[in-house]
């Protein structure tokens, strides 16, 4: 067992790597809050309400391709090159979105952004697995969550101010400018992390098949989002076919037994897919409801995102301090239960026309639940991943994350459009129909959250929690 002094020494050895990783997470977090805050206004200006959910689900879909490519690439040659390629695509997507004059062009930029972001996300997990011993993983993920605190406090407000003073385009363009200098220190850190000593057991042919499957998953999710443009009968048919196709294509990209919630690593992936679908599927509609029903502006409607992110960071810090004194399985159980309570609260707010303060308060619970569940699902994933599988398993976790959220957003978008399709010219009737769309969208996330809570006890205990490792790779902070 590693003592506190030894753990602190291991942590100090990696301070340069930690600083670089946390800085990038801060920027990614700001982009997430800023875009979510201004998207209702973007939909108004570009007349793109039909593609509102697509603007969120599209990047998650293309991100699956980036994750699969980066995972195999990292296992073969290390995380440096896939990170560089992902960062360049991420910046290019932000620039296209910021300069867009129509909603389809903005969505195209978001697709490129998602492709690059998926690659970046996987390479960060691989870096953590390669450079940090298991005993430091809870603390590292706590720092990652803490990196969301400042963006959650100022992100929505800054995005609202920028949108009102300079225009919403600068929310995208400013982040694109800042990503470049932020990535340079991390590139110096990643370069020495070459291939793992234990090579990947995935052949080149298998890697190509995985990429093809990822493309099929992305295409199915995108088709599901495009269903909102069709008449109701055709939309329902396309949604059913595309949703089924996405699940069939994603199955080989996850560990065997994931879609059946087999105990251990498969259930880690299943839980992540479900809880991410519940959380992100609902969160996209939280500021949307506050803006359309209650008339809140971009700054005010981002309040629920801020309180949820603060709760996420706080609970992640708690689990980080507890370390291996808190079993990851127990943290996941409690976290998913909190997300269930939060989605029920969001549904009740829309269904019973409750005061917006109820939505802000209950959504704070969702952030707390994700702070526990998400951090420890990451810990469990790395605990179940020996060298040579870290890239593939990290990409599988990220795939579950993205596919769950993308499918939830896509299906909720179709349901929202179908319910609101009969909106009458009369303003009050249109608002009432839109409210019905919110009720159906939030109801879907309640179902997903409940399913995650049922699967959570099956995540098990990995070897790293049963017999904690003393030390990981020796060359952890080569840039110091």
């Amino acid at each position: 067992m590693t003592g506190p002094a030894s753990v602190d020494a291991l942590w100090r050895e990696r301070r340069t790597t930690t600083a670089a990783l946390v800085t990038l997470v801060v920027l990614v977090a700001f982009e997430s809050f800023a875009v979510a805050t201004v998207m209702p206004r973007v939909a108004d200006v570009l007349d793109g309400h039909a593609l509102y959910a697509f603007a969120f689900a599209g990047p998650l879909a293309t991100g699956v391709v980036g994750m699969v490519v980066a995972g195999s690439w990292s296992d073969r040659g290390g995380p440096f090159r896939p990170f560089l390629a992902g960062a360049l695509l991420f910046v290019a997507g932000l620039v296209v979105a910021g300069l867009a004059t129509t909603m389809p062009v903005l969505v195209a930029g978001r697709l490129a952004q998602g492709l690059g972001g998926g690659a970046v996300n996987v390479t960060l997990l691989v870096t953590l697995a390669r450079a940090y011993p298991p005993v430091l993983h809870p603390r590292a993920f706590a720092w990652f969550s803490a990196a969301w605190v400042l963006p959650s406090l100022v992100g929505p407000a800054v995005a609202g101010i920028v949108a009102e003073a300079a225009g919403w385009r600068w929310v995208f363009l400013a982040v694109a400018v800042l990503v470049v200098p932020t990535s340079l220190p991390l590139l110096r850190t990643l370069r020495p992390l070459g291939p793992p000593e234990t090579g990947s057991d995935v052949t080149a042919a298998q890697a190509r098949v995985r990429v093809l499957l990822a493309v099929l998953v992305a295409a199915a999710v995108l088709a599901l989002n495009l269903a909102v443009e069709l008449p109701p009968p055709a939309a329902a048919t396309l949604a059913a076919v595309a949703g089924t196709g996405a699940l069939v294509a994603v199955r080989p990209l996850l560990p065997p037994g994931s879609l059946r919630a087999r105990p251990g690593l498969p259930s880690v992936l299943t839980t992540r897919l479900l809880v991410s679908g519940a959380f992100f599927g609902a969160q996209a509609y939280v500021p949307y409801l506050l803006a359309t029903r209650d008339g809140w502006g971009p700054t005010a409607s981002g309040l629920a995102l801020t309180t949820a992110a603060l709760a996420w960071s706080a609970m992640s810090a708690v689990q980080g301090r507890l370390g291996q004194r808190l079993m990851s399985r127990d943290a996941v159980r409690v976290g998913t239960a909190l997300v269930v309570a939060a989605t029920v609260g969001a549904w009740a707010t829309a269904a019973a026309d409750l005061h917006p303060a109820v939505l802000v308060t209950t959504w704070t619970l969702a952030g707390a639940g994700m702070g526990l569940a998400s951090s420890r699902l990451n810990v469990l994933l790395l605990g179940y991943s020996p060298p040579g599988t870290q890239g593939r398993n990290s990409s599988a976790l990220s795939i579950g994350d993205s596919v769950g959220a993308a499918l939830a957003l896509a299906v909720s978008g179709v349901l929202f459009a179908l319910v609101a399709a009969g909106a009458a010219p009369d303003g009050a009737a249109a608002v009432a129909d839109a409210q019905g769309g919110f009720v159906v969208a939030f109801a879907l996330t309640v179902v997903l959250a409940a399913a995650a809570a049922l699967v959570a006890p099956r995540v098990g205990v990995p070897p790293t929690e049963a017999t904690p490792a003393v030390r990981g790779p020796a060359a952890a902070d080569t840039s110091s």
Side-chain angles (χ1 to χ4, degrees), residues 447-467:
V447 173
L448 294 174
L454 291 175
V455 175
R458 300 172 64 84
V459 296
V461 180
T464 52
E465 288 199 0
T467 55

Side-chain angles (χ1 to χ4, degrees), residues 29-38 148-164 171 287 297-307 309:
F30 176 81
E31 185 271 341
S32 175
F33 284 106
V35 171
T37 300
V38 302
W148 286 70
V149 172
L150 182 60
S152 70
L153 287 172
V154 304
V158 170
I161 292 171
V162 170
E164 293 168 1
V171 172
T299 303
S301 61
L303 177 62
L305 306 185
T306 298
T307 58

Side-chain angles (χ1 to χ4, degrees), residues 320-358:
R321 285 184 174 275
L322 291 174
Q324 294 181 336
R325 289 175 291 170
L326 173 65
M327 295 294 292
S328 294
R329 179 176 56 191
D330 296 335
V332 173
R333 285 174 172 173
V334 175
T336 53
L338 289 174
V339 176
V340 172
T343 53
V344 169
W347 171 82
T349 301
D353 199 21
L354 301 179
H355 192 278
V358 176

Side-chain angles (χ1 to χ4, degrees), residues 16-17 19-21 23-24 80 83 178-192 477 479:
T16 303
T17 301
L21 293 172
T23 301
L24 185 63
F80 173 75
F83 173 81
L178 293 174
V179 165
V180 176
T182 302
S183 299
L184 293 179
L186 190 55
L187 288 173
R188 290 194 294 269
T189 300
L190 294 177
R191 185 181 290 275
D477 200 2
S479 65

Side-chain angles (χ1 to χ4, degrees), residues 197-223:
E197 295 179 4
T198 303
S200 172
D201 58 359
V202 177
T203 66
Q206 291 172 327
R208 287 193 291 270
V209 171
R210 288 175 59 81
V211 172
L212 176 59
L213 289 170
V215 171
L216 292 176
V217 171
V221 173
L222 296 179

Side-chain angles (χ1 to χ4, degrees), residues 34-136:
V35 171
T37 300
V38 302
M39 194 57 73
R41 173 166 293 188
V42 174
D44 280 336
V45 174
L46 301 183
D47 191 23
H49 288 280
L51 294 176
Y52 181 85
F54 197 0
F56 289 97
L60 296 174
T62 55
V64 172
V65 180
M67 292 165 192
V68 171
V69 173
S72 299
W73 199 352
S74 296
D75 281 341
R76 293 196 311 270
F80 173 75
R81 290 182 178 178
F83 173 81
L84 178 60
L88 290 174
L89 274 171
F90 185 74
V91 171
L94 285 169
V95 171
V96 171
L99 298 178
T101 56
T102 66
M103 195 67 168
V105 173
L106 182 136
V107 168
R110 295 280 286 164
L111 296 180
Q113 181 186 341
L115 186 63
V120 169
N121 185 53
V122 167
T123 55
L124 293 186
L125 285 175
V126 172
T127 301
L128 186 61
R130 294 279 309 281
Y132 292 69
V135 71
L136 294 182

Side-chain angles (χ1 to χ4, degrees), residues 255-279:
S258 292
L259 296 186
R260 298 194 305 273
R262 184 183 298 170
L265 178 61
S267 283
V268 172
L269 275 297
T270 307
T271 305
R272 185 59 167 263
L273 187 151
L274 292 169
V275 77
S276 293
F279 180 82

Side-chain angles (χ1 to χ4, degrees), residues 227-238:
V228 300
E229 298 289 339
L230 302 176
T237 301
L238 178 58

